[in-house]
Amino acid sequence: KMAGLPVDLELKKAFQELQGKLVNTQQQLKVNDAQIEGLKRQNQHSAIVKTEISSLSDKTNTYQSVGRMFMLTPKHEVLKSLDSKAKANEDKIKNIEKQKEYLTKSMKDAENNLREMIMSKQKR
């Protein structure tokens, strides 16, 4: 009961929907954060490997993993591969950040809609 009046079923349903949406959104935000952390860790690893490989002489044999095996790969190709992986990870991070912004915005919109509904019901 709200202020001695029976609870408005429409309001109760909207509140339950918002609660479900909030829980889902919070879970999705946590997943996004975990993905971003994983991608950043991969980039750090790539940067360390790139630094180590760059310090090697050009005559040093370098190998790159391909599935379950390692193939002899020229140093410059290994470095190029590391750069492209880092670039791809940065793009993924940007996309996930955009998704996070969208989720946060939609969550706030839903909260505002519920507030407006509550205000309109109280005015009656």
Side-chain angles (χ1 to χ4, degrees), residues 64 73-82:
Q64 193 166 14
T73 310
K75 177 181 159 182
H76 71 278
E77 284 187 30
V78 173
L79 294 173
K80 195 188 313 179
S81 173
L82 288 169

Side-chain angles (χ1 to χ4, degrees), residues 33-51 81-93 96:
D33 286 337
Q35 287 174 332
I36 288 172
E37 285 304 310
L39 291 169
K40 284 182 177 177
R41 216 172 294 114
Q42 284 178 6
N43 278 356
Q44 286 177 329
H45 179 266
S46 292
I48 292 168
V49 170
K50 185 177 175 184
T51 304
S81 173
L82 288 169
D83 285 338
S84 66
K85 283 181 187 175
K87 175 87 173 85
N89 285 348
E90 288 300 324
D91 291 343
K92 286 179 188 174
I93 288 172
I96 293 170

Side-chain angles (χ1 to χ4, degrees), residues 19 21 25 32-33 44 64 73 80 101 106 114 120:
Q19 236 176 350
K21 190 173 183 177
T25 302
N32 287 353
D33 286 337
Q44 286 177 329
Q64 193 166 14
T73 310
K80 195 188 313 179
E101 285 176 31
S106 67
L114 184 66
S120 69

Side-chain angles (χ1 to χ4, degrees), residues 18-80:
L18 175 69
Q19 236 176 350
K21 190 173 183 177
L22 275 167
V23 169
N24 288 341
T25 302
Q26 287 169 340
Q27 286 174 340
Q28 188 62 43
L29 288 171
K30 284 181 185 175
V31 167
N32 287 353
D33 286 337
Q35 287 174 332
I36 288 172
E37 285 304 310
L39 291 169
K40 284 182 177 177
R41 216 172 294 114
Q42 284 178 6
N43 278 356
Q44 286 177 329
H45 179 266
S46 292
I48 292 168
V49 170
K50 185 177 175 184
T51 304
E52 291 298 319
I53 289 177
S54 295
S55 68
L56 299 174
S57 78
D58 288 338
K59 293 177 183 167
T60 307
N61 287 341
T62 53
Y63 296 85
Q64 193 166 14
S65 70
V66 179
R68 292 169 49 186
M69 66 179 195
F70 290 90
M71 289 183 58
L72 181 62
T73 310
K75 177 181 159 182
H76 71 278
E77 284 187 30
V78 173
L79 294 173
K80 195 188 313 179

